Amino acid sequence: MSDTTREGKRVALVLGSGGARGYAHIGVIEALEARGYRVVAISGCSMGALVGGVYAAGQLKGYRDWVCQLDYFDVLRLVDVTWSPMGAMRASKVMEKLASLVGDVRIEELPIPVTTVATDLTGQREVWFQSGSLLEAVRASIAVPGVITPVHRGDQVLVDGGLLNPLPIIPTVSAHADFVLAVNVTAHSPRPVTLEELLPPEQAEQERARERERDAGAMDFGGWMDEVRQAAGRWFNGLGGDEAADGDGQGEEGSRRRQWGRLDMVLESFDITQAALAKYKVAGYPPDVLIEVPKTVCGAYEFHRAEALITLGRHLAVEALDRFEGRDHPGWGGRGIVVEPLQAEGLMPGEPEPGS
């Protein structure tokens, strides 16, 4: 497809949840812009809601510049630990940075229609934010249950939308777009795939060098993690767990390691659930283009790897768009061009509530 043919083509963009892997969304957007496509609608969950909202507000470059300079300890300084039984961490420092970038903007004022998805624990259903404060909508969508404290709004207790809908395709169905592009960053893979395996050789070697440098300079990393471990342990004790009864004879230090292992288990379980749910969402509403990032490329909280993950998103987007543009698709109306749809019998998603 020539540049003139694709110029002005309208894209509805679906950005999934997945923690740090969501940095790949930035690379996908960069690839779309480089080819002259025009994003006319965005639906996002968790990290996808954050990146999509920042992009719609015109501040993606500033956000990209910020995250690409974060190292191990910058990320840890952003982890504001709390003793709340509702979660081990707040997100106030991250939200302060976002506020400095986008200000007190309302979703309905954005030049691109945006839908962010959260989950209401009280009503046990999705909540779509299509108006109201962008920052509040993003904060609700990123609140991983038990890890980041939820947002309370009236009778609602709002947490990460990935709990019910990690890849929110449905809000884009009615968009006046030429095609729908979805980015799933919690994809299953037949075997564990590393970030370096998926990057082009030169970028892969650069990331290996960065990792060696991080490892060499991370001698104090364990000290920083103690505070997070203790907070996680306090949260798990709030569930009624008896750490003494579970003892392994290693005293307080062994107990702290065991508590951190439990937090890891919560995060990994959430990742697995999101990966399975995303398959069903794709099966029900196959997008025209699906870009999948295996969930094994990095941990959900490896936010210090932004540069490589952005590069990966751009690389995968270029490959996917090349395949898409090379096909005969009259009217750009076909579905499932990249995806092999899965069977989704028995799936009965609840109707979402409006966010505001």
Side-chain angles (χ1 to χ4, degrees), residues 290-318:
L290 176 65
I291 296 170
E292 294 202 293
V293 177
K295 66 184 183 64
T296 59
V297 297
C298 74
Y301 284 85
E302 292 187 60
F303 288 101
H304 57 283
R305 305 187 73 178
E307 191 167 347
L309 288 161
I310 292 170
T311 299
L312 176 63
R314 187 166 54 247
H315 174 65
L316 295 178
V318 167

Side-chain angles (χ1 to χ4, degrees), residues 229-248:
R229 290 184 179 118
Q230 291 170 21
R234 178 68 63 89
W235 178 74
F236 281 113
N237 283 338
L239 294 178
D242 184 350
E243 294 304 319
D246 263 351
D248 57 5

